[in-house]
């Protein structure tokens, strides 16, 4: 009987460890009331472009804006979320070659999200309601997600991400794979895998953990922070 109690107690501890772990703690205190604007130069096999991320705190929520401009392509994304990184709403507009336009809108409740995308000039709308039982990361939050996490050697994170291309929930993983220097700034190298493929983020170790560089091997694209 004594040994049986020991075994049951050990199993009980394993259950606590497996299911009782604390949720991910996000640091959003560094986000200023005055907009922080980060501008990047984007280079790939088709040429160069600009990539810009703006973020600020407004009342009790945070706002993020993303602008991507390259030859024949523009993309504008906006989103709002709270201090726990729970998304409230987001929008995205993509224009390709001045002809095809995709207009996406998304809103969140505590357990469900609604997303719809209008494709012009075809006037086709794709809409979906998705239920979830855990936190979801919105596509608008990806550029600053790594800046809100506690990074350390070999640390890993896993999240559920909204993919606006397919209106589905997909995995997003992050892993600190090493350290290095970008623009003479000491950085963590963080590998991110999501619906866009693999990306290597060079994240400043100090201060507000600026993203100094992003490398996307599959598209041969490099994004570099401008001085």
């Amino acid at each position: 009987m004594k040994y049986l109690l020991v075994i049951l107690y050990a199993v009980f501890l394993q259950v606590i460890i497996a299911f009782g772990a604390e949720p991910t703690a996000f640091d959003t205190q560094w986000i200023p009331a005055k907009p922080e604007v980060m501008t990047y130069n984007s280079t790939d096999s088709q040429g160069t472009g600009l990539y810009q991320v703006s973020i600020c705190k407004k009342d009790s929520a945070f706002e993020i804006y993303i602008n991507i401009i390259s030859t024949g392509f523009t993309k504008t994304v906006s989103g709002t979320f709270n201090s726990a990184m729970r998304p409230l709403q987001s929008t995205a507009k993509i224009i390709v070659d001045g002809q095809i336009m995709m207009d996406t809108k998304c809103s969140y409740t505590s357990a469900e999200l609604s997303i719809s995308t209008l494709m012009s000039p075809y006037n086709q709308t794709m809409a979906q309601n998705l239920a979830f039982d855990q936190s979801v990361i919105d596509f608008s939050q990806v550029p600053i997600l790594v800046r809100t996490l506690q990074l350390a050697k070999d640390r890993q994170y896993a999240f559920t991400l909204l993919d606006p291309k397919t209106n589905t929930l997909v995995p997003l993983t992050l892993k600190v794979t090493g350290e290095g220097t970008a623009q003479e700034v000491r950085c963590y190298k963080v590998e991110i895998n999501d619906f866009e493929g693999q990306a290597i983020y060079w994240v400043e170790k100090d201060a507000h953990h600026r993203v100094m560089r992003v490398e996307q091997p599959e598209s041969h694209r490099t994004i570099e922070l401008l001085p």
Side-chain angles (χ1 to χ4, degrees):
M1 183 67 178
K2 178 179 179 181
Y3 293 108
L4 177 60
L5 291 175
V6 171
I7 293 173
L8 290 174
Y9 182 71
V11 172
F12 177 71
L13 287 178
Q14 290 178 352
V15 171
I16 291 177
I17 293 172
F19 298 100
E22 294 183 0
T24 301
F26 298 99
D27 177 16
T28 55
Q29 295 183 0
W30 57 270
I31 301 175
K34 181 180 179 180
E36 177 201 72
V37 181
M38 311 282 284
T39 303
Y40 299 79
N41 183 62
S42 175
T43 305
D44 59 28
S45 58
Q46 296 183 353
T48 61
L50 289 176
Y51 178 89
Q52 193 172 72
V53 180
S54 305
I55 189 167
C56 66
K57 182 178 181 180
K58 187 174 182 181
D59 298 326
S60 60
F62 301 93
E63 298 181 352
I64 185 168
Y65 300 92
I66 304 161
N67 293 288
I68 302 173
I69 302 172
S70 60
T71 303
F73 177 88
T74 61
K75 181 177 181 179
T76 301
V77 176
S78 68
T80 60
F81 55 94
N82 66 16
S83 60
M85 286 290 283
R86 287 187 174 273
L88 305 175
Q89 63 85 29
S90 62
T91 64
K93 182 167 290 188
I94 299 174
I95 302 175
V96 182
D97 292 329
Q99 299 178 0
I100 300 175
M101 185 168 67
M102 290 175 281
D103 196 351
T104 299
K105 296 181 180 179
C106 184
S107 61
Y108 291 80
T109 65
S110 59
E112 186 180 67
L113 66 87
S114 299
I115 181 171
S116 65
T117 299
L118 172 64
M119 296 186 66
S120 302
Y122 312 108
N123 290 324
Q124 296 180 347
T125 300
M126 297 183 298
Q128 188 74 35
N129 292 329
L130 301 173
F132 53 86
D133 57 5
Q134 57 184 336
S135 297
V136 170
I137 298 297
D138 185 78
F139 55 88
S140 65
Q141 297 175 287
V142 173
I144 60 100
L145 174 62
V146 71
R147 301 181 63 188
T148 68
L149 300 173
Q150 296 181 11
L151 303 180
K153 182 180 178 181
D154 298 326
R155 183 159 291 177
Q156 301 182 50
Y157 293 93
F159 301 99
T160 299
L161 172 68
L162 173 61
D163 179 356
K165 294 181 178 180
T166 60
N167 289 4
T168 59
L169 298 175
V170 299
L172 180 154
T173 61
L174 299 92
K175 181 179 180 180
V176 180
T177 59
E179 299 180 11
T181 302
Q183 301 187 40
E184 301 182 351
V185 174
R186 296 186 308 129
C187 296
Y188 286 114
K189 293 176 65 177
V190 184
E191 179 181 310
I192 297 181
N193 288 278
D194 61 16
F195 62 84
E196 297 280 7
Q198 182 193 65
I200 307 299
Y201 279 58
W202 294 68
V203 186
E204 183 180 29
K205 295 182 69 174
D206 302 317
H208 293 160
H209 310 302
R210 295 174 299 167
V211 175
M212 305 301 298
R213 178 192 300 158
V214 180
E215 301 168 357
Q216 298 174 308
E218 295 176 12
S219 58
H220 305 287
R221 181 180 294 113
T222 300
I223 300 169
E224 197 88 25
L225 179 64
L226 293 176

